[in-house]
Amino acid sequence: MEAIAAVPELAKGAYVLFENGHPVYAGKTDTRHGFRSRLSRHFRTIQDRIGLDPTTIGFKAVRIMVFSNFDVEAILIDELRRKDSSALRWNFSGFGSNDPGHNREAQEPADFDKERPVDIDRPLDFLPLGSMLGALDLALALKDGLTYLFRYETDLNERGRPKRHTVGHVDFREAAPITLPEQPLTMREALILMLEVLPNEWRATVFPDRVILYREKVTYKYAREYLEFGQG
């Protein structure tokens, strides 16, 4: 993040990500989404992934003042692949793509996410150790602190649509408080603590790129793992 912060604010141009010095992704960015914004997003994507050490990832960025008359990204990709056919394997793999939105759990995950899925067994350093939290407070802390997407069921409004995640579900608000241990929790352990105080109908589902916690027993085609009460 220090290297990203050193890039001029709102600077635009082309960039390359490297893994152990090998180019794995090339892209471009404009003034609206400058280097800082785009690289910070990539920084989060490479955290907490199975088989991916974020300390091996670096970047190079070239500021370009005006490039509206040519496709700098395509030129960069073609040139790097011409020199090395194994370069830029993250391009066109779905790396860094947005949450697909409606019906997202039924959509096939991106190749990048299938190859480097999220790791729910790494200790989390942002939870208040030894404190007592409500289920909703813990869910909010996880949603804000995780580097990957965490979605959970909320109450419905008068139109039958989900309320904001800050409202949560009535089961969260009525659940017994959760006492966190004195040592850092993993996401798996945090989910198990929540499932212990929620009704048995709740289930956590782990996908390659996200985790959801819903009052359901749905089987998803692309789920990697399910967590339920009693598994801990």
Side-chain angles (χ1 to χ4, degrees):
M1 291 304 296
E2 291 181 3
I4 293 173
V7 177
E9 187 174 6
L10 299 182
K12 62 182 180 180
Y15 64 93
V16 177
L17 303 184
F18 297 84
E19 183 177 24
N20 289 313
H22 187 70
V24 292
Y25 185 84
K28 67 178 180 181
T29 185
D30 55 24
T31 303
R32 189 167 65 92
H33 300 290
F35 283 127
R36 287 189 188 181
S37 174
R38 185 64 56 81
L39 292 172
S40 294
R41 178 178 156 194
H42 292 333
F43 176 84
R44 289 182 62 84
T45 300
I46 64 173
Q47 308 298 315
D48 302 316
R49 295 276 178 163
I50 296 174
L52 177 56
D53 180 358
T55 65
T56 65
I57 308 299
F59 73 88
K60 290 183 179 180
V62 178
R63 188 174 192 175
I64 302 175
M65 306 306 294
V66 178
F67 52 82
S68 57
N69 293 329
F70 59 95
D71 191 341
V72 64
E73 184 177 18
I75 294 172
L76 185 58
I77 291 173
D78 290 344
E79 181 65 13
L80 285 170
R81 283 185 168 167
R82 184 185 65 80
K83 292 183 177 181
D84 183 355
S85 60
S86 67
L88 308 184
R89 64 181 183 274
W90 292 359
N91 280 85
F92 311 112
S93 72
F95 170 76
S97 49
N98 293 317
D99 185 28
H102 181 65
N103 200 30
R104 53 184 72 85
E105 271 71 52
Q107 296 183 26
E108 184 174 3
D111 290 341
F112 175 83
D113 295 318
K114 289 188 288 186
E115 294 171 4
R116 308 285 182 92
V118 297
D119 188 352
I120 67 169
D121 292 307
R122 291 189 182 183
L124 307 175
D125 60 5
F126 56 83
L127 295 176
L129 303 181
S131 62
M132 182 177 290
L133 297 177
L136 179 56
D137 292 329
L138 180 53
L140 290 170
L142 291 169
K143 190 172 183 66
D144 291 341
L146 289 168
T147 58
Y148 49 86
L149 185 65
F150 174 48
R151 186 185 299 108
Y152 48 85
E153 186 170 341
T154 65
D155 294 334
L156 302 179
N157 61 24
E158 61 277 3
R159 296 182 179 180
R161 299 183 62 82
K163 293 184 178 180
R164 292 178 60 83
H165 72 275
T166 52
V167 175
H169 193 279
V170 62
D171 288 350
F172 287 11
R173 300 190 294 276
E174 295 180 351
I178 299 170
T179 300
L180 302 185
E182 296 292 341
Q183 65 275 6
L185 283 170
T186 65
M187 179 57 169
R188 181 187 302 276
E189 292 168 337
L191 289 168
I192 289 173
L193 287 177
M194 294 183 68
L195 290 166
E196 287 177 348
V197 300
L198 292 172
N200 292 347
E201 292 81 8
W202 285 83
R203 171 192 272 180
T205 305
V206 182
F207 293 91
D209 62 336
R210 66 174 74 93
V211 176
I212 63 172
L213 179 62
Y214 277 71
R215 187 167 180 158
E216 63 177 15
K217 298 292 182 179
V218 177
T219 299
Y220 293 99
K221 180 178 180 179
Y222 299 109
R224 298 186 66 246
E225 187 177 357
Y226 300 100
L227 299 175
E228 298 180 5
F229 174 76
Q231 289 186 328

mmCIF file with all atom_site columns, all heavy atoms in Angstrom, residues 214-227:
data_model
loop_
_atom_site.group_PDB
_atom_site.id
_atom_site.type_symbol
_atom_site.label_atom_id
_atom_site.label_alt_id
_atom_site.label_comp_id
_atom_site.label_asym_id
_atom_site.label_entity_id
_atom_site.label_seq_id
_atom_site.pdbx_PDB_ins_code
_atom_site.Cartn_x
_atom_site.Cartn_y
_atom_site.Cartn_z
_atom_site.occupancy
_atom_site.B_iso_or_equiv
_atom_site.pdbx_formal_charge
_atom_site.auth_seq_id
_atom_site.auth_comp_id
_atom_site.auth_asym_id
_atom_site.auth_atom_id
_atom_site.pdbx_PDB_model_num
ATOM 1   N N   . TYR A 1 214 ? -26.912 -17.560 5.268   1.00 0.00 ? 214 TYR A N   1
ATOM 2   C CA  . TYR A 1 214 ? -28.345 -17.395 5.046   1.00 0.00 ? 214 TYR A CA  1
ATOM 3   C C   . TYR A 1 214 ? -29.130 -18.446 5.830   1.00 0.00 ? 214 TYR A C   1
ATOM 4   O O   . TYR A 1 214 ? -28.608 -19.525 6.159   1.00 0.00 ? 214 TYR A O   1
ATOM 5   C CB  . TYR A 1 214 ? -28.688 -17.549 3.554   1.00 0.00 ? 214 TYR A CB  1
ATOM 6   C CG  . TYR A 1 214 ? -28.472 -16.278 2.756   1.00 0.00 ? 214 TYR A CG  1
ATOM 7   C CD1 . TYR A 1 214 ? -27.202 -15.811 2.480   1.00 0.00 ? 214 TYR A CD1 1
ATOM 8   C CD2 . TYR A 1 214 ? -29.558 -15.559 2.274   1.00 0.00 ? 214 TYR A CD2 1
ATOM 9   C CE1 . TYR A 1 214 ? -27.006 -14.646 1.753   1.00 0.00 ? 214 TYR A CE1 1
ATOM 10  C CE2 . TYR A 1 214 ? -29.379 -14.399 1.538   1.00 0.00 ? 214 TYR A CE2 1
ATOM 11  C CZ  . TYR A 1 214 ? -28.103 -13.948 1.291   1.00 0.00 ? 214 TYR A CZ  1
ATOM 12  O OH  . TYR A 1 214 ? -27.926 -12.791 0.577   1.00 0.00 ? 214 TYR A OH  1
ATOM 13  N N   . ARG A 1 215 ? -30.374 -18.082 6.105   1.00 0.00 ? 215 ARG A N   1
ATOM 14  C CA  . ARG A 1 215 ? -31.285 -19.044 6.751   1.00 0.00 ? 215 ARG A CA  1
ATOM 15  C C   . ARG A 1 215 ? -31.875 -19.921 5.649   1.00 0.00 ? 215 ARG A C   1
ATOM 16  O O   . ARG A 1 215 ? -32.984 -19.704 5.165   1.00 0.00 ? 215 ARG A O   1
ATOM 17  C CB  . ARG A 1 215 ? -32.374 -18.305 7.528   1.00 0.00 ? 215 ARG A CB  1
ATOM 18  C CG  . ARG A 1 215 ? -33.247 -19.240 8.352   1.00 0.00 ? 215 ARG A CG  1
ATOM 19  C CD  . ARG A 1 215 ? -34.116 -18.495 9.343   1.00 0.00 ? 215 ARG A CD  1
ATOM 20  N NE  . ARG A 1 215 ? -34.934 -19.420 10.108  1.00 0.00 ? 215 ARG A NE  1
ATOM 21  C CZ  . ARG A 1 215 ? -35.474 -19.158 11.291  1.00 0.00 ? 215 ARG A CZ  1
ATOM 22  N NH1 . ARG A 1 215 ? -35.277 -17.966 11.843  1.00 0.00 ? 215 ARG A NH1 1
ATOM 23  N NH2 . ARG A 1 215 ? -36.197 -20.043 11.910  1.00 0.00 ? 215 ARG A NH2 1
ATOM 24  N N   . GLU A 1 216 ? -31.129 -20.941 5.272   1.00 0.00 ? 216 GLU A N   1
ATOM 25  C CA  . GLU A 1 216 ? -31.506 -21.791 4.149   1.00 0.00 ? 216 GLU A CA  1
ATOM 26  C C   . GLU A 1 216 ? -30.687 -23.077 4.198   1.00 0.00 ? 216 GLU A C   1
ATOM 27  O O   . GLU A 1 216 ? -29.673 -23.163 4.894   1.00 0.00 ? 216 GLU A O   1
ATOM 28  C CB  . GLU A 1 216 ? -31.223 -21.073 2.815   1.00 0.00 ? 216 GLU A CB  1
ATOM 29  C CG  . GLU A 1 216 ? -29.736 -20.785 2.610   1.00 0.00 ? 216 GLU A CG  1
ATOM 30  C CD  . GLU A 1 216 ? -29.412 -20.136 1.282   1.00 0.00 ? 216 GLU A CD  1
ATOM 31  O OE1 . GLU A 1 216 ? -30.342 -19.640 0.632   1.00 0.00 ? 216 GLU A OE1 1
ATOM 32  O OE2 . GLU A 1 216 ? -28.222 -20.137 0.905   1.00 0.00 ? 216 GLU A OE2 1
ATOM 33  N N   . LYS A 1 217 ? -31.134 -24.047 3.443   1.00 0.00 ? 217 LYS A N   1
ATOM 34  C CA  . LYS A 1 217 ? -30.395 -25.293 3.270   1.00 0.00 ? 217 LYS A CA  1
ATOM 35  C C   . LYS A 1 217 ? -30.284 -25.596 1.772   1.00 0.00 ? 217 LYS A C   1
ATOM 36  O O   . LYS A 1 217 ? -30.514 -26.708 1.312   1.00 0.00 ? 217 LYS A O   1
ATOM 37  C CB  . LYS A 1 217 ? -31.086 -26.445 3.994   1.00 0.00 ? 217 LYS A CB  1
ATOM 38  C CG  . LYS A 1 217 ? -31.196 -26.267 5.499   1.00 0.00 ? 217 LYS A CG  1
ATOM 39  C CD  . LYS A 1 217 ? -29.847 -26.323 6.184   1.00 0.00 ? 217 LYS A CD  1
ATOM 40  C CE  . LYS A 1 217 ? -30.010 -26.194 7.692   1.00 0.00 ? 217 LYS A CE  1
ATOM 41  N NZ  . LYS A 1 217 ? -28.723 -26.277 8.407   1.00 0.00 ? 217 LYS A NZ  1
ATOM 42  N N   . VAL A 1 218 ? -29.904 -24.588 1.025   1.00 0.00 ? 218 VAL A N   1
ATOM 43  C CA  . VAL A 1 218 ? -29.808 -24.695 -0.432  1.00 0.00 ? 218 VAL A CA  1
ATOM 44  C C   . VAL A 1 218 ? -28.476 -25.324 -0.818  1.00 0.00 ? 218 VAL A C   1
ATOM 45  O O   . VAL A 1 218 ? -27.433 -25.028 -0.230  1.00 0.00 ? 218 VAL A O   1
ATOM 46  C CB  . VAL A 1 218 ? -29.944 -23.301 -1.080  1.00 0.00 ? 218 VAL A CB  1
ATOM 47  C CG1 . VAL A 1 218 ? -29.770 -23.397 -2.590  1.00 0.00 ? 218 VAL A CG1 1
ATOM 48  C CG2 . VAL A 1 218 ? -31.295 -22.694 -0.736  1.00 0.00 ? 218 VAL A CG2 1
ATOM 49  N N   . THR A 1 219 ? -28.522 -26.196 -1.809  1.00 0.00 ? 219 THR A N   1
ATOM 50  C CA  . THR A 1 219 ? -27.309 -26.787 -2.360  1.00 0.00 ? 219 THR A CA  1
ATOM 51  C C   . THR A 1 219 ? -26.923 -26.015 -3.622  1.00 0.00 ? 219 THR A C   1
ATOM 52  O O   . THR A 1 219 ? -27.724 -25.916 -4.557  1.00 0.00 ? 219 THR A O   1
ATOM 53  C CB  . THR A 1 219 ? -27.515 -28.269 -2.706  1.00 0.00 ? 219 THR A CB  1
ATOM 54  O OG1 . THR A 1 219 ? -27.847 -28.980 -1.513  1.00 0.00 ? 219 THR A OG1 1
ATOM 55  C CG2 . THR A 1 219 ? -26.245 -28.866 -3.312  1.00 0.00 ? 219 THR A CG2 1
ATOM 56  N N   . TYR A 1 220 ? -25.724 -25.459 -3.633  1.00 0.00 ? 220 TYR A N   1
ATOM 57  C CA  . TYR A 1 220 ? -25.256 -24.656 -4.758  1.00 0.00 ? 220 TYR A CA  1
ATOM 58  C C   . TYR A 1 220 ? -24.244 -25.448 -5.596  1.00 0.00 ? 220 TYR A C   1
ATOM 59  O O   . TYR A 1 220 ? -23.368 -26.124 -5.041  1.00 0.00 ? 220 TYR A O   1
ATOM 60  C CB  . TYR A 1 220 ? -24.601 -23.370 -4.266  1.00 0.00 ? 220 TYR A CB  1
ATOM 61  C CG  . TYR A 1 220 ? -25.555 -22.401 -3.607  1.00 0.00 ? 220 TYR A CG  1
ATOM 62  C CD1 . TYR A 1 220 ? -25.659 -22.335 -2.221  1.00 0.00 ? 220 TYR A CD1 1
ATOM 63  C CD2 . TYR A 1 220 ? -26.344 -21.537 -4.373  1.00 0.00 ? 220 TYR A CD2 1
ATOM 64  C CE1 . TYR A 1 220 ? -26.525 -21.445 -1.615  1.00 0.00 ? 220 TYR A CE1 1
ATOM 65  C CE2 . TYR A 1 220 ? -27.216 -20.645 -3.769  1.00 0.00 ? 220 TYR A CE2 1
ATOM 66  C CZ  . TYR A 1 220 ? -27.297 -20.602 -2.387  1.00 0.00 ? 220 TYR A CZ  1
ATOM 67  O OH  . TYR A 1 220 ? -28.159 -19.709 -1.792  1.00 0.00 ? 220 TYR A OH  1
ATOM 68  N N   . LYS A 1 221 ? -24.377 -25.317 -6.890  1.00 0.00 ? 221 LYS A N   1
ATOM 69  C CA  . LYS A 1 221 ? -23.513 -26.066 -7.803  1.00 0.00 ? 221 LYS A CA  1
ATOM 70  C C   . LYS A 1 221 ? -22.047 -25.729 -7.605  1.00 0.00 ? 221 LYS A C   1
ATOM 71  O O   . LYS A 1 221 ? -21.176 -26.620 -7.688  1.00 0.00 ? 221 LYS A O   1
ATOM 72  C CB  . LYS A 1 221 ? -23.934 -25.777 -9.254  1.00 0.00 ? 221 LYS A CB  1
ATOM 73  C CG  . LYS A 1 221 ? -23.101 -26.505 -10.297 1.00 0.00 ? 221 LYS A CG  1
ATOM 74  C CD  . LYS A 1 221 ? -23.598 -26.210 -11.704 1.00 0.00 ? 221 LYS A CD  1
ATOM 75  C CE  . LYS A 1 221 ? -22.764 -26.948 -12.748 1.00 0.00 ? 221 LYS A CE  1
ATOM 76  N NZ  . LYS A 1 221 ? -23.254 -26.672 -14.127 1.00 0.00 ? 221 LYS A NZ  1
ATOM 77  N N   . TYR A 1 222 ? -21.743 -24.464 -7.339  1.00 0.00 ? 222 TYR A N   1
ATOM 78  C CA  . TYR A 1 222 ? -20.351 -24.034 -7.296  1.00 0.00 ? 222 TYR A CA  1
ATOM 79  C C   . TYR A 1 222 ? -19.835 -23.792 -5.878  1.00 0.00 ? 222 TYR A C   1
ATOM 80  O O   . TYR A 1 222 ? -18.771 -23.202 -5.696  1.00 0.00 ? 222 TYR A O   1
ATOM 81  C CB  . TYR A 1 222 ? -20.175 -22.764 -8.134  1.00 0.00 ? 222 TYR A CB  1
ATOM 82  C CG  . TYR A 1 222 ? -20.528 -22.987 -9.592  1.00 0.00 ? 222 TYR A CG  1
ATOM 83  C CD1 . TYR A 1 222 ? -21.687 -22.429 -10.140 1.00 0.00 ? 222 TYR A CD1 1
ATOM 84  C CD2 . TYR A 1 222 ? -19.724 -23.767 -10.413 1.00 0.00 ? 222 TYR A CD2 1
ATOM 85  C CE1 . TYR A 1 222 ? -22.016 -22.640 -11.465 1.00 0.00 ? 222 TYR A CE1 1
ATOM 86  C CE2 . TYR A 1 222 ? -20.045 -23.987 -11.737 1.00 0.00 ? 222 TYR A CE2 1
ATOM 87  C CZ  . TYR A 1 222 ? -21.198 -23.420 -12.261 1.00 0.00 ? 222 TYR A CZ  1
ATOM 88  O OH  . TYR A 1 222 ? -21.523 -23.635 -13.575 1.00 0.00 ? 222 TYR A OH  1
ATOM 89  N N   . ALA A 1 223 ? -20.564 -24.275 -4.885  1.00 0.00 ? 223 ALA A N   1
ATOM 90  C CA  . ALA A 1 223 ? -20.097 -24.140 -3.503  1.00 0.00 ? 223 ALA A CA  1
ATOM 91  C C   . ALA A 1 223 ? -18.901 -25.047 -3.262  1.00 0.00 ? 223 ALA A C   1
ATOM 92  O O   . ALA A 1 223 ? -18.822 -26.173 -3.773  1.00 0.00 ? 223 ALA A O   1
ATOM 93  C CB  . ALA A 1 223 ? -21.219 -24.477 -2.534  1.00 0.00 ? 223 ALA A CB  1
ATOM 94  N N   . ARG A 1 224 ? -17.950 -24.562 -2.453  1.00 0.00 ? 224 ARG A N   1
ATOM 95  C CA  . ARG A 1 224 ? -16.793 -25.361 -2.071  1.00 0.00 ? 224 ARG A CA  1
ATOM 96  C C   . ARG A 1 224 ? -17.020 -26.084 -0.755  1.00 0.00 ? 224 ARG A C   1
ATOM 97  O O   . ARG A 1 224 ? -16.465 -27.155 -0.520  1.00 0.00 ? 224 ARG A O   1
ATOM 98  C CB  . ARG A 1 224 ? -15.540 -24.487 -1.957  1.00 0.00 ? 224 ARG A CB  1
ATOM 99  C CG  . ARG A 1 224 ? -15.125 -23.810 -3.248  1.00 0.00 ? 224 ARG A CG  1
ATOM 100 C CD  . ARG A 1 224 ? -13.805 -23.071 -3.098  1.00 0.00 ? 224 ARG A CD  1
ATOM 101 N NE  . ARG A 1 224 ? -12.704 -23.971 -2.866  1.00 0.00 ? 224 ARG A NE  1
ATOM 102 C CZ  . ARG A 1 224 ? -12.000 -24.020 -1.747  1.00 0.00 ? 224 ARG A CZ  1
ATOM 103 N NH1 . ARG A 1 224 ? -12.281 -23.211 -0.735  1.00 0.00 ? 224 ARG A NH1 1
ATOM 104 N NH2 . ARG A 1 224 ? -11.001 -24.883 -1.616  1.00 0.00 ? 224 ARG A NH2 1
ATOM 105 N N   . GLU A 1 225 ? -17.845 -25.482 0.112   1.00 0.00 ? 225 GLU A N   1
ATOM 106 C CA  . GLU A 1 225 ? -18.006 -26.035 1.453   1.00 0.00 ? 225 GLU A CA  1
ATOM 107 C C   . GLU A 1 225 ? -19.230 -25.417 2.120   1.00 0.00 ? 225 GLU A C   1
ATOM 108 O O   . GLU A 1 225 ? -19.602 -24.278 1.832   1.00 0.00 ? 225 GLU A O   1
ATOM 109 C CB  . GLU A 1 225 ? -16.751 -25.702 2.272   1.00 0.00 ? 225 GLU A CB  1
ATOM 110 C CG  . GLU A 1 225 ? -16.673 -26.347 3.630   1.00 0.00 ? 225 GLU A CG  1
ATOM 111 C CD  . GLU A 1 225 ? -15.370 -26.031 4.340   1.00 0.00 ? 225 GLU A CD  1
ATOM 112 O OE1 . GLU A 1 225 ? -14.514 -25.353 3.744   1.00 0.00 ? 225 GLU A OE1 1
ATOM 113 O OE2 . GLU A 1 225 ? -15.216 -26.465 5.496   1.00 0.00 ? 225 GLU A OE2 1
ATOM 114 N N   . TYR A 1 226 ? -19.852 -26.195 3.021   1.00 0.00 ? 226 TYR A N   1
ATOM 115 C CA  . TYR A 1 226 ? -20.960 -25.699 3.827   1.00 0.00 ? 226 TYR A CA  1
ATOM 116 C C   . TYR A 1 226 ? -20.596 -25.827 5.307   1.00 0.00 ? 226 TYR A C   1
ATOM 117 O O   . TYR A 1 226 ? -19.939 -26.785 5.717   1.00 0.00 ? 226 TYR A O   1
ATOM 118 C CB  . TYR A 1 226 ? -22.242 -26.519 3.565   1.00 0.00 ? 226 TYR A CB  1
ATOM 119 C CG  . TYR A 1 226 ? -22.713 -26.486 2.137   1.00 0.00 ? 226 TYR A CG  1
ATOM 120 C CD1 . TYR A 1 226 ? -22.427 -27.546 1.287   1.00 0.00 ? 226 TYR A CD1 1
ATOM 121 C CD2 . TYR A 1 226 ? -23.449 -25.430 1.645   1.00 0.00 ? 226 TYR A CD2 1
ATOM 122 C CE1 . TYR A 1 226 ? -22.870 -27.545 -0.031  1.00 0.00 ? 226 TYR A CE1 1
ATOM 123 C CE2 . TYR A 1 226 ? -23.893 -25.410 0.318   1.00 0.00 ? 226 TYR A CE2 1
ATOM 124 C CZ  . TYR A 1 226 ? -23.598 -26.471 -0.511  1.00 0.00 ? 226 TYR A CZ  1
ATOM 125 O OH  . TYR A 1 226 ? -24.022 -26.460 -1.812  1.00 0.00 ? 226 TYR A OH  1
ATOM 126 N N   . LEU A 1 227 ? -21.038 -24.848 6.079   1.00 0.00 ? 227 LEU A N   1
ATOM 127 C CA  . LEU A 1 227 ? -20.856 -24.889 7.526   1.00 0.00 ? 227 LEU A CA  1
ATOM 128 C C   . LEU A 1 227 ? -22.220 -24.774 8.181   1.00 0.00 ? 227 LEU A C   1
ATOM 129 O O   . LEU A 1 227 ? -23.014 -23.894 7.825   1.00 0.00 ? 227 LEU A O   1
ATOM 130 C CB  . LEU A 1 227 ? -19.960 -23.756 8.016   1.00 0.00 ? 227 LEU A CB  1
ATOM 131 C CG  . LEU A 1 227 ? -18.524 -23.716 7.473   1.00 0.00 ? 227 LEU A CG  1
ATOM 132 C CD1 . LEU A 1 227 ? -17.816 -22.459 7.972   1.00 0.00 ? 227 LEU A CD1 1
ATOM 133 C CD2 . LEU A 1 227 ? -17.764 -24.957 7.880   1.00 0.00 ? 227 LEU A CD2 1
#
